[in-house]
Amino acid sequence: MTTGSRYAAKSRKRIIPTITHLKDDVTLGIKPRKASKDYVRVIPIGGVEEIGRNMIAVEYGNDIIIMDAGLEFPTSDHPGVDYLIPNVSYLKKYKHLIRAIVISHGHLDHVGALPYVIEDLGNPPIYTTGFTAALIKKKHSEFKHLPTPNIIQVKKGDRLKIGKEGMFFRFFGVEHAIPDSIGTIIETKFGDIVYPGDFKVARDRDNNPIEVEEYEEMGKKGVLLLILESTNIEKEGFSGTDDEVAEGLEAV
């Protein structure tokens, strides 16, 4: 899947998206949608083979649910560019079918593009946790021209129906470098789609994994699709524990 981007360049008054790299569904590699309950379609709009711009669309019947809306920070190949944001030209055509945006956590690579794309997506309700909601509201206050976002707070353990076609969403807690991060299980008639967002498996001082029982339960129930992040997967070994980080900070 080829993912697209738009650049957001900064003026003195406000930040304005300026350049669209990929202009249509053909160059995005996305076939025109066909409403059907015979399958679930999962479309990575951004975040594939890159760090940032995380956005996934889940389609079932006449429902579209978006998972995350992140930005990517530019490199030296993007002079004068402040942010790269997902190309939502495909989703914009079907914004009347977008039922919700689910945000996994508050890091900018998962939430930072919201102010730039929310109008193109039809201002759907945003489902996320309390801490992430506070970060969204704070950032939103910088964009006076946008309507107030409709944020619905959820927490781990919640299960609720989103959309009109019968998909239920369950939320579970994940270990990450920012508070109040959640993973999402999308229940479909074909099986569960599991999207943990960014996470790590916590380990004790002997390097044994802890708090993995919830993942084991998911596996027992059966998973149709696991959407897994792979940052630093090429590196062998394990990252340090939070306790080790805390000890380092205390020492400093």
Side-chain angles (χ1 to χ4, degrees), residues 6 8 15 17 71 83 85 112-118 120 139 143:
R6 291 197 305 179
I15 300 175
L71 55 78
Y83 308 117
I85 61 179
L114 267 179
Y116 305 105
V117 301
I118 191 74
D120 286 342
K139 187 65 177 177
F143 294 78

Side-chain angles (χ1 to χ4, degrees), residues 177-202:
I178 190 171
D180 231 4
S181 300
I182 53 167
T184 303
I185 301 170
I186 306 172
E187 300 177 7
T188 77
K189 71 176 185 180
F190 309 103
D192 289 347
I193 298 172
V194 179
Y195 176 62
D198 287 357
F199 77 105
K200 69 175 182 178
V201 175

Side-chain angles (χ1 to χ4, degrees), residues 49-200:
E49 297 184 343
E50 61 187 352
I51 297 178
R53 276 189 293 172
N54 292 283
M55 178 182 280
I56 295 170
V58 179
E59 296 185 354
Y60 177 60
N62 281 310
D63 283 352
I64 299 176
I65 310 294
I66 297 171
M67 312 297 294
D68 285 333
L71 55 78
E72 182 178 351
F73 292 101
T75 66
S76 57
D77 296 329
H78 308 100
V81 173
D82 296 295
Y83 308 117
L84 286 78
I85 61 179
N87 184 339
V88 297
S89 60
Y90 168 76
L91 295 172
K92 185 177 180 180
K93 295 198 312 184
Y94 302 107
K95 63 183 179 182
H96 60 290
L97 301 178
I98 297 174
R99 311 303 180 192
I101 302 174
V102 179
I103 301 294
S104 62
H105 65 280
H107 281 154
L108 291 177
D109 61 333
H110 286 256
V111 73
L114 267 179
Y116 305 105
V117 301
I118 191 74
E119 283 191 305
D120 286 342
L121 302 178
N123 293 299
I126 300 168
Y127 290 78
T128 194
T129 57
F131 183 77
T132 306
L135 295 176
I136 292 172
K137 291 175 183 177
K138 177 63 173 67
K139 187 65 177 177
H140 185 84
S141 67
E142 302 172 14
F143 294 78
K144 305 297 184 183
H145 63 290
L146 292 178
T148 301
N150 176 17
I151 300 178
I152 300 170
Q153 290 191 27
V154 298
K155 61 184 183 301
K156 66 178 182 179
D158 285 352
R159 178 180 183 268
L160 63 156
K161 181 181 176 182
I162 300 178
K164 302 178 179 180
E165 302 287 16
M167 287 192 295
F168 279 84
F169 287 67
R170 303 201 315 269
F171 301 101
F172 60 97
V174 298
E175 185 87 9
H176 193 34
I178 190 171
D180 231 4
S181 300
I182 53 167
T184 303
I185 301 170
I186 306 172
E187 300 177 7
T188 77
K189 71 176 185 180
F190 309 103
D192 289 347
I193 298 172
V194 179
Y195 176 62
D198 287 357
F199 77 105
K200 69 175 182 178

Side-chain angles (χ1 to χ4, degrees), residues 16-38:
I16 307 170
T18 55
I19 303 172
T20 300
H21 257 210
L22 302 178
K23 297 182 179 179
D24 53 41
D25 302 343
V26 175
T27 52
L28 279 170
I30 303 174
K31 296 180 180 179
R33 80 179 311 276
K34 179 182 178 182
S36 174
K37 293 186 180 180
D38 296 330

